[in-house]
């Protein structure tokens, strides 16, 4: 937005959320925890056909208004859902959770990317990695972009296999409009090509890896050859938007669905049956009255910026990339 009254701000300027990471540098997978310093309202939008998730229904507007303590973004596909066990243990040790007659129960939701074809497929986020990431979130606030946390094993452009894909990662961005603030975090692990401001910045490579190919054209050609395109469920772009706007769970549901516009503008194709694309929306911090339409529009803009950050901050050499692919 050139010459806009909307300002880009540091993600750390968002009040009420702290970020922690843990990863296995050799196995190429990791965990990112978004810890909320006070219990929050949240909701979600799932547009992909194959999400790996934990406890997301608790955020549904039709369910009890149970406050959320943390969001976990992780690698490992469904195996990585074990990371939340460690997050819950860490929160319980710190007396954080929803009060019940039997003690406090931390409310934690999680979404995972499929990163088993990068690095070591047998290395997956576990309870210890989740615990470490949560501890880092409690003690620090480290929104690290690129090849960190859940972005450690993220890739894009996989329609023709991993040898023609490229590295992506985790990205952050935040914007403000007057007193209204909106931040976004995203792990880009897409089947498709990734764009920013109309320019392709990641995606499927040509056969000799000298330039980008076109994911959609590759998809159409594969379809004509096979008559039935078999897209593996090995792609997921997962993220969250955080705002200081005061919204209900139902309103946050709408904001998360509006944020999906960023996925549509930045990833082509997106939301296929081979993707598990998910977005959380959270209201936290020193909340203010805000317009839902403005906030949803800002959320999509912040997510576009975060998608760009996830790609440009995760660049590695072709040699290193292919070495990590060849482990499997």
């Amino acid at each position: 937005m050139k010459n806009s009254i909307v300002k880009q701000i540091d993600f750390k300027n968002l009040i009420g959320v702290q970020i922690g990471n843990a990863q296995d540098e050799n196995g190429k997978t990791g965990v990112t925890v978004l810890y909320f310093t006070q219990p929050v309202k949240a909701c979600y939008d799932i547009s992909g056909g194959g999400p790996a998730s934990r406890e997301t229904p608790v955020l549904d507007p039709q369910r009890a208004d149970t406050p959320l303590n943390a969001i976990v973004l992780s690698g490992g596909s469904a195996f990585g859902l074990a990371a939340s066990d460690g997050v819950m243990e860490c929160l319980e040790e710190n007396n954080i959770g929803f009060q019940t007659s039997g003690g406090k129960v931390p409310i934690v939701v999680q979404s995972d990317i499929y990163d088993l074809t990068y690095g070591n497929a047998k290395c997956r986020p576990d309870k210890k990695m989740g615990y470490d990431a949560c501890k880092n979130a409690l003690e620090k606030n480290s929104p690290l972009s690129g090849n960190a946390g859940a972005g450690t094993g993220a890739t894009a452009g996989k329609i023709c296999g991993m040898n023609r894909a490229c590295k992506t990662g985790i990205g952050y961005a935040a914007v403000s409009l007057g007193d209204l603030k909106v931040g976004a975090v995203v792990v880009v692990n897409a089947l498709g090509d990734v764009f920013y401001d109309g320019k392709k910045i990641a995606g499927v490579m040509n056969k000799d890896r000298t330039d980008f190919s076109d994911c959609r054209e590759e998809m159409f050609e594969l379809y004509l050859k096979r008559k039935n395109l078999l897209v593996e469920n090995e792609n997921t772009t997962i993220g969250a938007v955080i705002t200081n706007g005061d919204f209900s769970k139902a309103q946050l549901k709408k904001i998360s669905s509006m944020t999906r516009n960023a996925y549509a503008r930045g990833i082509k194709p997106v939301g296929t049956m081979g993707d598990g694309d998910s977005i959380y929306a959270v209201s936290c911090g020193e909340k203010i009255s805000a317009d839902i339409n403005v906030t949803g529009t800002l959320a999509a803009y912040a997510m576009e910026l975060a998608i760009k950050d996830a790609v440009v901050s995760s660049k590695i050499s072709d040699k290193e990339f292919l070495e990590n692919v060849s482990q499997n």
Side-chain angles (χ1 to χ4, degrees), residues 43-246:
C43 203
Y44 61 91
D45 175 83
I46 298 176
S47 54
S53 61
R54 169 172 166 159
E55 284 279 76
T56 49
V58 76
L59 304 181
D60 193 291
Q62 299 181 72
R63 312 302 173 206
D65 206 14
T66 307
L68 180 68
N69 299 117
I71 294 173
V72 180
L73 306 177
S74 174
S77 189
F79 293 110
L81 295 173
S84 278
D85 293 338
V87 175
M88 291 186 69
E89 180 178 303
C90 182
L91 293 175
E92 183 183 28
E93 287 180 359
N94 287 274
N95 197 35
I96 297 167
F98 179 68
Q99 186 65 57
T100 73
S101 57
K104 288 188 176 180
V105 178
I107 307 301
V108 177
V109 299
Q110 180 173 354
S111 288
D112 289 358
I113 66 167
Y114 183 99
D115 57 2
L116 304 182
T117 50
Y118 189 75
N120 185 347
K122 296 299 183 181
C123 179
R124 300 131 183 188
D126 56 10
K127 182 177 180 179
K128 182 182 184 306
M129 194 180 290
Y131 183 97
D132 291 344
C134 187
K135 184 178 181 182
N136 286 332
L138 292 174
E139 296 178 354
K140 308 173 185 177
N141 183 17
S142 303
L144 302 175
S145 299
N147 303 308
T152 304
T155 55
K158 291 171 275 191
I159 188 72
C160 297
M162 286 296 291
N163 285 332
R164 290 177 60 185
C166 66
K167 190 71 183 72
T168 52
I170 188 169
Y172 297 85
V175 297
S176 66
L177 177 64
D179 293 334
L180 178 62
K181 297 178 181 178
V182 182
V185 53
V186 65
V187 184
V188 178
N189 192 63
L191 172 75
D193 297 326
V194 185
F195 296 79
Y196 179 74
D197 201 21
K199 181 181 178 181
K200 189 180 297 186
I201 57 176
V204 61
M205 307 294 293
N206 59 18
K207 291 181 179 179
D208 58 6
R209 297 186 64 86
T210 57
D211 200 358
F212 290 123
S213 185
D214 186 298
C215 182
R216 288 174 293 182
E217 289 300 317
E218 296 285 358
M219 174 185 282
F220 300 152
E221 290 182 15
L222 286 171
Y223 170 76
L224 291 177
K225 289 177 183 177
R226 299 175 180 174
K227 301 301 181 185
N228 181 23
L229 183 66
L230 299 176
V231 176
E232 300 294 340
N233 296 332
E234 300 179 357
N235 318 277
T236 315
T237 296
I238 53 177
V241 289
I242 301 99
T243 179
N244 65 338
D246 190 6

Side-chain angles (χ1 to χ4, degrees), residues 287-310:
K287 294 187 284 291
I288 65 170
S289 178
D291 180 82
I292 188 172
N293 300 298
V294 171
T295 305
T297 301
L298 284 174
Y301 175 50
M303 184 60 76
E304 283 186 84
L305 295 173
I307 289 171
K308 176 188 177 184
D309 183 47

